[in-house]
Amino acid sequence: MTLDTIDALARPHCLAVFGALHPGAEDGAPGGTGTIVLIGPSEPGFWPLLTASGEWRDGAPDPVDRWSKRVIGALAVGLGGTAIFPSDGPPYAPFFRWALASGRAWASPVRILVHDRAGLWVSYRGAVALRDRLALPAPALNPCESCVARPCLSACPAQALTGEGYDLPGCHAYLDTEGGHACLSSGCGVRRACPVSQAYGRLPEQSAYHMRQFHK
């Protein structure tokens, strides 16, 4: 089994391997895990596929998480592994730690994760814990290191998300104003400003949905 094999199995579901790691004792993986494979949305295509699903149409809460558990759960079973999800907990699996250890995600200048393919739009729909130690590729290049303009540092219209940290109350207060409509309808302005994010192909409708969940 290889990461490319897993990626090919995930592709029909508009998912992709977003990184992998060999966890140590301090990484919070299930006992006996040789490899953790991180799974994220493959764009474009993820949102139209998800919103055509039964989980989305049945009107029950948490359709994105329920879809992820069904699809990634089945993928894990087929691989002989264990599915792990960010929403499971407490205690919650340390996805941030795993992302950094994967060699494909880093702390951005605004401190939130940036991914080599998804930029600041990075999200992990789940992970698969496997007993085998799969071959891992060399670490990717951190895109922030070659980003001269660093637009993320000045993109927040409310100055709530900057290199100094995240002012959550200030963010919510701004979203309640007329000026906050762009973030609510298209997603966080900081995440949109990232050049890697702009090449990722995430639809504004998806970002709008997640903003509605964030700012109710």
Side-chain angles (χ1 to χ4, degrees), residues 10-46:
R11 289 285 171 175
H13 308 288
C14 290
L15 296 170
V17 171
F18 265 31
L21 63 143
H22 296 147
E26 72 284 359
D27 287 321
T33 298
T35 308
I36 293 176
V37 182
L38 301 170
I39 306 293
S42 177
E43 302 289 4
F46 172 76

Side-chain angles (χ1 to χ4, degrees), residues 20-107:
L21 63 143
H22 296 147
E26 72 284 359
D27 287 321
T33 298
T35 308
I36 293 176
V37 182
L38 301 170
I39 306 293
S42 177
E43 302 289 4
F46 172 76
W47 198 242
L49 185 147
L50 188 144
T51 54
S53 70
E55 287 86 359
W56 185 266
R57 293 177 299 178
D58 66 16
D62 303 318
V64 181
D65 286 343
R66 290 188 294 115
W67 180 91
S68 300
K69 289 188 174 184
R70 173 175 63 83
V71 173
I72 298 176
L75 177 65
V77 169
L79 294 169
T82 300
I84 307 169
F85 299 96
S87 59
D88 289 345
Y92 296 98
F95 273 80
F96 191 93
R97 182 187 186 104
W98 293 348
L100 295 177
S102 75
R104 292 189 59 188
W106 305 265

Side-chain angles (χ1 to χ4, degrees), residues 120-178:
L120 295 179
W121 286 134
V122 60
S123 66
Y124 298 95
R125 294 312 322 150
V128 178
L130 300 169
R131 301 191 70 84
D132 294 339
R133 284 177 63 88
L134 305 186
L136 303 182
L141 297 177
N142 181 347
C144 299
E145 293 183 355
S146 60
C147 182
V148 177
R150 299 202 165 189
C152 61
L153 288 171
S154 57
C156 181
Q159 290 298 294
L161 180 56
T162 69
E164 301 303 313
Y166 183 36
D167 176 6
L168 179 60
C171 176
H172 279 295
Y174 179 75
L175 293 174
D176 281 331
T177 70
E178 183 177 351

